[in-house]
């Protein structure tokens, strides 16, 4: 609409661009209407393109992974507004009939991950390295590809987020066995650039929480993988990850 301020909301490419657009458009449209602004949804084919935009401060709002929340704050001063109530963790799994029963038995083996900078890959790389386990990462692009690589015996083990596995059909999970879980961490935050006024940041938070409180909007928040939004706090939720120095566990790839 004319005479309305324009803002860009960028979303981490957890899904193909068409699917991200489909999942996020209903919320973006509701926020635009409720707040009297124009929010343009920006989707990406590749994670590198998304990260480059955020580090340059292109989007006014951005949905990022917990590790990248640290990078976004350090580079541009992005502030987390809202995240899902549930915490997340990384998991390592094998085929149900695999003889591998602990991560120690992954020494000198290949482990399938989504990408080198996804939060699950970094957390699991940290945990494996902490246990002095030498492994070769293999990046599959999507969580579904990781599960199928393990099921089809193309990789002896794989690592994703626990929430990703829960979204897969039961037939997938029934063929896998979890052998390791990381400690829980706060989930992906929606962040705001400091050029967004404090008043608008608060209005976005309040409106998201208000909309989520209406059961008629349940599907909107399920689709963006934030079924129970709560206020996010950087010091409480993401600052603890700084101490892990997860950037040391980027092993190449995408």
């Amino acid at each position: 609409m004319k005479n309305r301020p324009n803002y860009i909301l960028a979303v981490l490419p957890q899904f193909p661009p068409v699917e991200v657009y489909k999942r996020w458009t209903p919320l973006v449209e509701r926020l635009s209407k409720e707040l009297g602004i124009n929010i343009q949804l920006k989707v990406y084919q590749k994670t590198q393109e998304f990260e480059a935009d955020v580090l340059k401060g292109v989007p006014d709002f951005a949905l990022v992974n917990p590790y990248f929340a640290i990078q976004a704050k350090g580079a541009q001063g992005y502030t987390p507004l809202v995240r899902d109530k549930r915490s997340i963790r990384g998991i390592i799994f094998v085929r149900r009939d695999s003889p591998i029963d602990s991560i120690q038995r992954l020494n000198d083996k290949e482990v399938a991950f989504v990408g080198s900078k996804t939060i699950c890959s970094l957390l699991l790389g940290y945990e494996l390295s902490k246990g002095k386990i030498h492994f070769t990462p293999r990046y599959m692009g999507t969580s579904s590809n990781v599960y199928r690589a393990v099921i089809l015996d193309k990789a002896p083990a794989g690592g994703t987020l626990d929430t990703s596995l829960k979204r897969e059909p039961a037939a997938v999970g029934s063929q896998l066995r979890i052998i390791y879980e990381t400690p829980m961490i706060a989930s992906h935050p929606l962040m705001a650039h400091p050029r967004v006024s404090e008043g608008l940041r608060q209005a976005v938070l309040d409106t998201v929480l208000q909309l989520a409180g209406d059961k008629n909007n349940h599907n909107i928040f399920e689709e963006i993988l934030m079924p129970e939004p709560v206020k996010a706090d950087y010091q409480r939720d993401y600052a603890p990850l700084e101490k892990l120095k997860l950037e040391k566990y980027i092993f190449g790839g995408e």
Side-chain angles (χ1 to χ4, degrees):
M1 287 185 163
K2 293 182 179 180
N3 302 321
R4 285 187 167 192
N6 297 304
Y7 296 89
I8 296 173
L9 191 159
V11 176
L12 173 73
Q14 296 169 289
F15 304 99
V18 172
E19 187 171 352
V20 171
Y21 187 82
K22 179 181 177 182
R23 286 172 176 268
W24 276 83
T25 293
L27 178 60
V28 166
E29 290 181 345
R30 286 297 299 272
L31 286 176
S32 294
K33 178 181 178 181
E34 296 290 336
L35 297 169
I37 59 178
N38 293 325
I39 301 178
Q40 175 190 348
L41 180 62
K42 188 167 186 180
V43 300
Y44 299 80
Q45 186 72 44
K46 295 184 177 182
T47 300
Q48 299 99 309
E49 297 169 353
F50 165 79
E51 291 179 346
D53 263 9
V54 174
L55 292 177
K56 289 186 293 186
V58 173
D60 303 289
F61 302 96
L63 188 281
V64 305
N65 77 41
Y67 165 71
F68 200 69
I70 300 170
Q71 315 306 307
K73 180 175 177 60
Q76 290 286 336
Y78 281 91
T79 302
L81 302 179
V82 64
R83 64 172 176 84
D84 191 54
K85 179 179 180 180
R86 62 187 173 180
S87 296
I88 58 177
R89 59 163 40 113
I91 55 174
I92 294 178
F93 45 83
V94 296
R95 273 175 54 123
R96 187 163 291 277
D97 59 0
S98 171
I100 297 173
D101 57 6
S102 70
I103 58 171
Q104 284 70 33
R105 297 188 65 179
L106 293 177
N107 198 47
D108 294 328
K109 288 185 170 58
E110 188 175 68
V111 181
F113 296 109
V114 176
S116 63
K117 294 182 182 180
T118 59
I119 185 61
C120 59
S121 305
L122 293 168
L123 273 179
L124 292 167
Y126 166 78
E127 293 290 327
L128 289 166
S129 298
K130 186 173 67 173
K132 300 188 183 334
I133 296 163
H134 303 282
F135 66 98
T136 301
R138 180 180 177 189
Y139 301 115
M140 308 302 298
T142 68
S143 295
S144 293
N145 287 345
V146 173
Y147 303 131
R148 282 149 184 78
V150 175
I151 290 170
L152 297 174
D153 227 8
K154 293 182 178 179
T160 65
L161 292 177
D162 58 344
T163 49
S164 297
L165 182 55
K166 290 174 184 175
R167 292 196 300 269
E168 289 290 319
V172 173
S174 66
Q175 298 180 71
L176 301 170
R177 176 166 45 84
I178 297 172
I179 62 170
Y180 189 79
E181 298 178 336
T182 71
M184 301 291 273
I185 63 169
S187 57
H188 298 51
L190 177 65
M191 306 186 81
H193 193 278
R195 67 173 166 269
V196 178
S197 71
E198 184 177 350
L200 181 56
R201 293 200 301 268
Q202 186 64 48
V204 169
L205 170 61
D206 292 343
T207 303
V208 167
L209 297 182
Q210 181 181 6
L211 291 172
D214 184 343
K215 63 181 181 181
N216 293 321
N217 296 323
H218 179 71
N219 285 343
I220 291 177
F221 291 94
E222 281 284 349
E223 285 296 305
I224 66 166
L225 311 182
M226 199 181 290
E228 295 184 77
V230 295
K231 181 180 179 180
D233 179 87
Y234 184 83
Q235 290 303 317
R236 178 194 65 205
D237 298 332
Y238 306 106
L241 289 176
E242 295 178 9
K243 300 176 184 177
L244 301 184
K245 305 293 183 183
L246 293 179
E247 60 274 7
K248 295 192 298 184
Y249 306 99
I250 300 173
F251 296 105
E254 297 186 358

